[in-house]
Amino acid sequence: MTEQNIPLLEVEDLAVEFATPDGVVRAVDGLSYSVTAGRTLAIVGESGSGKSVSSLAVMGLLQIPPARIVRGAIRFKGEDLLTLSPKEHRAVCGTHIAMVFQDALTALNPVHTVGWQLTEALRARRKMSRREAAARAVELLDMVKVPNAKERIKDYPHQFSGGMRQRVMIASALAMDPEVLIADEPTTALDVTVQAQIMTLLSEIQAERDMGLILITHDMGVVANVADDVTVMYAGRAVEQASVFDVFASAAHPYTRALLRSIPRLDQKGAGLEVIPGRPPDPTSVPAGCPFHPRCGYAEDVCRSDPPPPQHTLRYDRRSACHFAERVVQERGGVR
Ligand SMILES: Nc1ncnc2c1ncn2[C@@H]1O[C@H](COP(=O)(O)OP(=O)(O)OP(=O)(O)O)[C@@H](O)[C@H]1O
Ligand code: SF4
Ligand SMILES: [Mg+2]
């Protein structure tokens, strides 16, 4: 393995539950993935599939209780963060792993200037003077291409547009020079043009800094444009893991195929988008066998009784949690 391929971050068999009045929510159930320097891993899946909860677990930001990490490992450069105290875990993340949260507006503090928020961590941990911190804040805003950065560090979050606020969030996540950046739906609240600009910005920054980027999204179109590797989540599990090329050339899980059918295609003008039939399972009572079976056009009896092997390997770098993965992957064009 070359140094390039050694994972920066490895999540192995992670399981997170919440105790709720309606029962135990198995939000993440045996998730594994890894990300290396200079690569982008996209984590995709419908709402409620465990994308944010698994990322908050990586960052040490789950509120315990009601959350409980039931099993698994979260290794940064080989060190399992789950063996550290919560304070030590957050300290590693504060320096080496950063996250852009799903809701930019609530993640920024309305009573402080943007300059203050960008450098709060630097002043506290790196003991920067006011003047050094202000210079660094300008540098960070320049990096994310906020025009007139020198003046804008004096403004408050509400004085920024949605797209500019998201740039500020990205700048703030980059303040400590992280090696891994987790971006949780960084563009959902923005209009399409701004979404594209933010994605381009993230890709450029990632390439410049050779970071590992984990991009959480609903949008397979975004995945096609920016990801190297893909993890598809369903009901807290990874159902397919492969390179972006393999996923788009011949997805090996029926759920991935269903997600792909919901992308608009220029060559099929006028054809309506397909919606995946049914709904994701109630997280307090996930169906027996394969959790996707009530919605799956490939399902057979075995799917209703036996869970598919979670890490069924088709090739060394391809996994699909489906009893019929080999058959599905052969059906290049025809999807059910
Ligand atoms: N504090 C909590 N208490 C109970 N259940 C929770 C809590 N936080 C999350 N969950 C549940 O955990 C599951 C996974 O949630 P998560 O936020 O990770 O989904 P997601 O994939 O990020 O969805 P979205 O695409 O909507 O952001 C959901 O069923 C959610 O309702
Ligand atoms: S295991 Fe069965 S139900 Fe699950 S995705 Fe595969 S074919 Fe569909
Ligand atoms: Mg989420």
Side-chain angles (χ1 to χ4, degrees):
M1 216 184 248
T2 64
E3 195 167 317
Q4 268 268 296
N5 292 331
I6 295 171
L8 284 172
L9 178 67
E10 281 177 287
V11 169
E12 191 182 326
D13 195 26
L14 181 68
V16 181
E17 291 179 353
F18 290 92
T20 75
D22 298 327
V24 173
V25 169
R26 295 206 162 79
V28 181
D29 193 4
L31 175 68
S32 301
Y33 66 73
S34 66
V35 65
T36 53
R39 284 186 83 82
T40 297
L41 168 71
I43 301 184
V44 283
E46 284 166 295
S47 193
S49 56
K51 305 180 299 295
S52 295
V53 168
S54 53
S55 304
L56 292 172
V58 168
M59 300 299 293
L61 293 175
L62 284 174
Q63 204 188 339
I64 297 176
R68 189 165 83 90
I69 296 187
V70 185
R71 59 176 198 278
I74 297 169
R75 284 187 284 272
F76 177 70
K77 292 186 170 172
E79 181 179 37
D80 184 358
L81 304 182
L82 295 181
T83 62
L84 304 178
S85 71
K87 201 173 158 197
E88 290 166 334
H89 182 162
R90 282 195 296 274
V92 171
C93 291
T95 317
H96 302 289
I97 310 174
M99 183 159 166
V100 178
F101 294 92
Q102 205 162 354
D103 187 347
L105 187 54
T106 55
L108 289 167
N109 188 332
V111 304
H112 288 293
T113 64
V114 152
W116 185 93
Q117 337 218 2
L118 286 176
T119 53
E120 186 200 3
L122 289 169
R123 286 203 309 270
R125 288 197 222 127
R126 301 225 173 124
K127 309 284 177 242
M128 277 190 178
S129 69
R130 237 170 222 280
R131 183 191 286 256
E132 285 168 329
R136 177 67 176 149
V138 172
E139 233 175 74
L140 287 164
L141 281 194
D142 272 338
M143 192 189 310
V144 295
K145 303 194 170 94
V146 170
N148 199 12
K150 251 190 191 144
E151 291 306 312
R152 301 243 52 193
I153 58 164
K154 298 172 202 153
D155 287 342
Y156 290 83
H158 73 269
Q159 294 171 282
F160 285 73
S161 68
M164 286 296 155
R165 250 184 333 243
Q166 195 54 286
R167 286 171 193 262
V168 171
M169 286 304 301
I170 294 169
S172 155
L174 295 173
M176 302 293 281
D177 283 320
E179 288 161 83
V180 177
L181 180 67
I182 304 176
D184 190 355
E185 304 270 8
T187 61
T188 29
L190 308 173
D191 72 48
V192 176
T193 324
V194 182
Q195 283 186 13
Q197 290 164 355
I198 298 276
M199 290 318 309
T200 308
L201 174 74
L202 271 175
S203 291
E204 284 170 7
I205 291 175
Q206 184 228 19
E208 262 164 38
R209 299 171 156 238
D210 207 26
M211 279 188 313
L213 176 62
I214 297 175
L215 179 67
I216 297 173
T217 178
H218 285 97
D219 186 338
M220 289 303 266
V222 167
V223 174
N225 286 331
V226 301
D228 299 298
D229 305 295
V230 183
T231 288
V232 180
M233 285 189 76
Y234 190 77
R237 304 136 212 235
V239 293
E240 175 155 9
Q241 297 183 290
S243 70
V244 72
F245 176 82
D246 283 339
V247 164
F248 281 85
S250 57
H253 194 282
Y255 178 61
T256 315
R257 292 195 158 230
L259 286 177
L260 288 170
R261 283 198 301 264
S262 60
I263 313 179
R265 285 180 51 173
L266 292 174
D267 60 341
Q268 289 179 2
K269 244 182 169 180
L273 287 186
E274 283 191 43
V275 175
I276 306 175
R279 296 167 57 116
D282 171 353
T284 57
S285 62
V286 174
C290 171
F292 189 54
H293 82 247
R295 307 172 75 188
C296 181
Y298 294 77
E300 296 190 11
D301 283 348
V302 64
C303 305
R304 289 177 263 278
S305 53
D306 298 359
Q311 297 288 311
H312 184 104
T313 305
L314 287 157
R315 260 197 350 244
Y316 74 98
D317 63 346
R318 278 209 86 162
R319 283 185 278 279
S320 164
C322 173
H323 288 301
F324 304 113
E326 279 88 358
R327 194 197 302 168
V328 176
V329 82
Q330 296 305 325
E331 280 187 27
R332 284 177 176 268
V335 286
R336 291 189 220 176

